[in-house]
Amino acid sequence: MSLTENELASIRENPYRADFPLLAGNPGLVYLDSAATSQRPRSVLDAALRFYETMNANALRGLYRLSVEATAATEEARSRIARFIGAADPAEIIFTRNASESLNLAARSLGRLLLGQGDEVVISIMEHHSNLIPWQQICAERGATLSYLYLDEDYRISEDELAKISPRAKIVSVTQVSNVLGVANDIAAIAARAHEAGAVCVVDGAQSVPHIATDVEKLGCDFLAFSGHKMLAPMGIGVLWGTRALLEAMPPFLTGGEMIDSVSEQGAVWAPLPAKFEAGTQNGGGIVALDEAIAYLEGIGMAVVERREALLARALADALSALPFIDIVGPAEGERHIGSVAFNVRGVHPHDVASLLDMHTVCIRAGHHCAEPLLKHLGQNSTCRASVALYNDASDIDRLVDGLENVWRVFNG
Amino acid sequence: MAELDLYNAQFMDHVHNPDYKYQMEDATCSHEGINPSCGDELTFSIRLADSGTIEEAAFTGRGCAISQASADIMSDLVIDKTPEEAVGLCRLFMGMVRGEITDADELERLDEAVLLRDISHMPARVKCAELAWRTLEEMLEKRCPDTASAEVGRHG
Ligand SMILES: Cc1ncc(COP(=O)(O)O)c(C=O)c1O
């Protein structure tokens, strides 16, 4: 459905861009690659700096005031993150480097807890390599099989497909939003089906948590992984949320300092949650900056963020659909897209499209988007992908369209 | 911006009307090169004359405009060259697109391939531009085995 006058007017306005130094400092820059990494507002960058300027000390280790402050800031961040995703208990929030590490933690530790010979792990064909290779690895190690949920012609995982989850399945791990197609999966239905089969449900929230209000209670999943750098925070800070019961039962992932209660020559007793999964010195600056990024999003309101990004995604899909030489890879309806729209310019390799757009300072992604099995399933080698965030506006989409018309002219005279 | 010149009419002519993109019938040797990150694939063939020079060069395959134009331009350049001369040109070209060789007099030997010099400002596209040249270099250095395949980088 095309946008109404009012909707269009709201995405012509942009009260956010000025908050983002990289965008504010490059007025001509059209950044349509937030699915790869988002930009960061000044307040978030300041928060990281402030940590090192005012409370730099190793959290947990020191008995002096600075260290106590660093520890308190870390725990405040943990509480805010828990609230932000609807988790009851901050101790269920584990800090990692990124979604990839969170998913590796889940695969390694859950795999060692749950998987035996002949068991099954079920993922979907639309997974990012980070929610795919860790499962390949642990399945190979435990003698388990990795099986896939495929998409119907509407890019959905159908009821019939979900019915394939057998009692042999011990873990079902799916993405909430595809980083290529931009479509969302019905996590509540998948989690319910996984639990019915006796399996644990892991969710890759890398492309959903930044863009839509998240409530793990409503999703009904057991784990949720996401990255700070896709949600306005710096690179190098990520989160794994898991239910207390499972986290307590799981063996640790990384081991060493900070994650123990006591150590003897031949053994160790693990610290309680969350420390058990946080070996070594944590990314203090990243943690407080993620806290600030969530404060920034909450200041605007996730409902407002969600609505604006939905309008931008619809405007983007509409604009691409209106170009006769563009094929959208994924559903044509803008309503189906969260953040990303994948497409091809007919007869032009995506890398040529991206290079030509770059000459007009329009940034998009081109390639297999770390989802090779999905592209193969779709019969594609690679695609272009444009993705939006709250700091985009209608002029970015206009500039993309101009750039794509230029690409077409270069290749077709 | 210098890169703006890259996709010019002369370059696009190699993309749309390649002279050397066809299946060679009686090749002395053929070699396949792939660029997994882009899905570019190219099979390059040559026929050597009795004198030892390359008398025919041709390629088949698919890929982005840069890999295709680069293969067509290279084919034209290496005809009538000895294998040793061709290997030298491959190295010179790769030095140019990686920004390691910038001397204009030296690059003159690349003739029309100098069109691709601005690739040195586009690091993500170096592998595309190099594909044909690396495939030919590998083929000639291994004295024409036709089984192995060249892979230009595995990074996605
Ligand atoms: C769906 C999805 N999962 C996982 C990841 C991995 O995120 P990161 O690179 O931050 O670990 C990404 C990001 O590229 C993604 O889009």
Side-chain angles (χ1 to χ4, degrees):
Chain A
M1 221 176 63
S2 59
L3 274 64
T4 65
E5 282 297 322
N6 279 344
E7 287 173 335
L8 201 57
S10 76
I11 58 164
R12 292 230 168 268
E13 280 169 21
N14 192 343
Y16 309 112
R17 189 173 168 113
D19 295 343
F20 292 76
L22 189 138
L23 299 174
N26 291 283
L29 183 73
V30 174
Y31 188 72
L32 291 170
D33 196 21
S34 294
T37 195
S38 70
Q39 298 300 334
R40 291 126 195 106
R42 167 70 64 203
S43 60
V44 167
L45 301 172
D46 285 347
L49 190 61
R50 204 161 52 239
F51 177 84
Y52 291 109
E53 281 179 350
T54 66
M55 58 176 102
N56 181 42
N58 207 317
L60 301 177
R61 285 197 187 158
L63 295 174
Y64 48 90
R65 191 180 55 82
L66 275 184
S67 176
V68 171
E69 278 175 13
T71 308
T74 301
E75 295 319 307
E76 268 168 40
R78 208 185 293 281
S79 295
R80 189 197 296 273
I81 294 162
R83 243 182 10 251
F84 186 67
I85 63 165
D89 183 356
E92 295 175 334
I93 300 293
I94 311 294
F95 288 119
T96 63
R97 281 186 303 142
N98 47 40
S100 300
E101 185 177 314
S102 299
L103 291 162
N104 273 273
L105 190 169
R108 286 270 124 211
S109 296
L110 261 186
R112 285 169 65 200
L113 177 71
L114 299 176
L115 294 178
Q117 196 74 31
D119 287 338
E120 205 169 69
V121 172
V122 180
I123 65 174
S124 89
I125 193 66
M126 66 167 84
E127 299 313 316
H128 186 281
H129 295 163
S130 292
N131 194 30
L132 194 158
I133 302 169
W135 301 112
Q136 284 181 344
Q137 295 286 108
I138 194 72
C139 282
E141 207 174 294
R142 309 293 293 185
T145 35
L146 182 60
S147 57
Y148 285 83
L149 300 168
Y150 293 94
L151 304 179
D152 64 17
E153 64 281 3
D154 240 2
Y155 304 94
R156 290 180 212 271
I157 298 171
S158 68
E159 294 273 331
D160 288 351
E161 200 62 18
L162 283 183
K164 288 192 338 198
I165 298 175
S166 80
R168 287 193 302 129
K170 295 290 182 288
I171 300 165
V172 175
S173 187
V174 287
T175 193
Q176 188 174 5
V177 169
S178 161
N179 66 308
V180 180
L181 302 167
V183 297
N185 288 315
D186 183 351
I187 295 297
I190 294 170
R193 177 70 197 107
H195 291 154
E196 201 179 280
V200 165
C201 180
V202 179
V203 172
D204 177 352
Q207 296 292 347
S208 54
V209 175
H211 303 298
I212 54 180
T214 304
D215 183 338
V216 290
E217 291 287 327
K218 285 200 191 121
L219 291 176
C221 56
D222 303 291
F223 291 89
L224 178 71
F226 54 99
S227 279
H229 73 92
K230 293 184 199 281
M231 52 188 294
L232 317 183
M235 298 179 180
I237 183 69
V239 171
L240 179 68
W241 167 81
T243 60
R244 177 178 275 277
L246 281 163
L247 289 171
E248 282 179 344
M250 283 152 61
F253 173 52
L254 303 175
T255 57
E258 245 87 72
M259 52 77 66
I260 44 82
D261 255 356
S262 63
V263 186
S264 62
E265 282 195 19
Q266 300 300 328
V269 178
W270 312 139
L273 296 177
K276 172 182 163 186
F277 289 102
E278 293 179 351
T281 299
Q282 297 298 297
N283 178 358
I287 291 169
V288 298
L290 175 57
D291 187 28
E292 187 59 40
I294 294 176
Y296 180 89
L297 288 169
E298 285 177 331
I300 296 165
M302 276 314 276
V304 175
V305 170
E306 203 174 313
R307 206 171 326 119
R308 178 177 177 86
E309 291 180 344
L311 290 177
L312 286 165
R314 270 171 58 200
L316 173 61
D318 286 356
L320 292 171
S321 297
L323 294 172
F325 50 85
I326 297 283
D327 295 312
I328 289 184
V329 179
E333 308 95 288
E335 293 79 359
R336 295 276 313 275
H337 292 269
I338 295 173
S340 301
V341 182
F343 62 95
N344 277 316
V345 178
R346 216 161 288 156
V348 185
H349 193 285
H351 284 179
D352 292 316
V353 177
S355 288
L356 279 160
L357 289 175
D358 180 43
M359 294 168 194
H360 292 251
T361 58
V362 175
C363 313
I364 64 153
R365 176 90 190 260
H368 54 52
H369 316 295
C370 300
E372 283 192 57
L374 171 63
L375 288 218
K376 186 137 200 266
H377 177 68
L378 297 171
Q380 302 280 342
N381 268 314
S382 63
T383 76
C384 304
R385 179 190 69 188
S387 54
V388 291
L390 79 157
Y391 44 69
N392 289 115
D393 60 48
S395 73
D396 294 326
I397 296 168
D398 296 342
R399 287 274 309 280
L400 172 67
V401 168
D402 290 348
L404 290 171
E405 281 172 338
N406 176 60
V407 170
W408 185 250
R409 268 195 307 276
V410 167
F411 274 78
N412 297 276
Chain B
M1 203 184 296
E3 293 95 313
L4 284 173
D5 289 339
L6 178 62
Y7 291 85
N8 64 17
Q10 195 184 350
F11 172 93
M12 290 309 298
D13 193 46
H14 285 285
V15 177
H16 290 312
N17 309 300
D19 290 327
Y20 301 95
K21 186 168 182 174
Y22 61 87
Q23 185 73 49
M24 193 188 295
E25 289 307 327
D26 42 2
T28 312
C29 48
S30 297
H31 194 52
E32 193 197 2
I34 59 173
N35 188 347
S37 68
C38 318
D40 293 345
E41 324 175 330
L42 178 134
T43 300
F44 197 77
S45 302
I46 56 169
R47 199 179 57 248
L48 293 174
D50 293 339
S51 65
T53 58
I54 297 169
E55 66 174 350
E56 190 178 348
F59 68 99
T60 56
R62 65 196 169 106
C64 65
I66 291 177
S67 72
Q68 298 289 296
S70 192
D72 201 50
I73 291 169
M74 182 188 81
S75 304
D76 191 54
L77 185 67
V78 299
I79 288 172
D80 291 337
K81 302 285 192 300
T82 65
E84 291 71 24
E85 285 166 340
V87 167
L89 290 168
C90 289
R91 294 195 181 139
L92 182 58
F93 179 86
M94 289 192 265
M96 175 183 77
V97 294
R98 291 174 193 179
E100 293 157 7
I101 302 175
T102 51
D103 182 72
D105 291 340
E106 206 179 339
L107 294 179
E108 220 167 82
R109 282 167 48 219
L110 288 174
D111 200 6
E112 205 188 356
V114 172
L115 265 183
L116 291 158
R117 112 195 119 234
D118 289 334
I119 297 286
S120 61
H121 307 302
M122 303 163 74
R125 308 304 304 278
V126 170
K127 283 186 281 181
C128 311
E130 278 185 354
L131 179 60
W133 305 78
R134 184 181 275 247
T135 305
L136 175 63
E137 184 197 26
E138 250 191 57
M139 172 166 84
L140 294 174
E141 288 208 313
K142 290 182 181 159
R143 303 251 172 256
C144 298
D146 55 6
T147 46
S149 63
E151 268 195 20
V152 183
R154 263 254 156 226
H155 196 71

